[in-house]
Amino acid sequence: MKELIRSNDPVLLSYLMSVLEEENIEAILLDEHTSVLEGSIGAIQRRVMVLAEDLARAKQILVDIGEGPAG
């Protein structure tokens, strides 16, 4: 699996996971529990991981929703 994005924004992460699911891209959210345990200081970001063969499509989805570099 490859890392798609790191973020502390729960709304972005929820939305992204939903869009990836709609596009039939398998994704997992790592560090969710660790992030919650450290409190609200935001030191530990959560990571969205996707299969290597889906990475290019997932990156394009990030661009489409305004969260990735265009290019």
Side-chain angles (χ1 to χ4, degrees), residues 1 17 20 25-30 47-51:
M1 298 210 80
M17 294 296 286
L20 291 172
I25 296 175
E26 184 178 341
I28 59 172
L29 187 58
L30 298 180
R47 297 174 288 158
V48 175
M49 307 292 286
V50 297
L51 295 173

Side-chain angles (χ1 to χ4, degrees), residues 2-4 25 50-60:
K2 301 287 185 175
E3 183 178 314
L4 176 62
I25 296 175
V50 297
L51 295 173
E53 58 265 25
D54 292 329
L55 185 60
R57 282 180 45 219
K59 284 183 176 181
Q60 183 58 50

Side-chain angles (χ1 to χ4, degrees), residues 22-58:
E22 287 176 6
E23 294 293 324
N24 295 316
I25 296 175
E26 184 178 341
I28 59 172
L29 187 58
L30 298 180
D31 305 320
E32 185 171 17
H33 299 292
T34 305
S35 179
V36 169
L37 288 175
E38 58 88 23
S40 61
I41 62 172
I44 300 174
Q45 294 183 320
R46 286 164 262 175
R47 297 174 288 158
V48 175
M49 307 292 286
V50 297
L51 295 173
E53 58 265 25
D54 292 329
L55 185 60
R57 282 180 45 219

Side-chain angles (χ1 to χ4, degrees), residues 4-19:
L4 176 62
I5 190 173
R6 290 178 188 229
S7 178
N8 286 328
D9 183 345
V11 175
L12 168 62
L13 293 171
S14 177
Y15 178 63
L16 178 58
M17 294 296 286
S18 176
V19 172

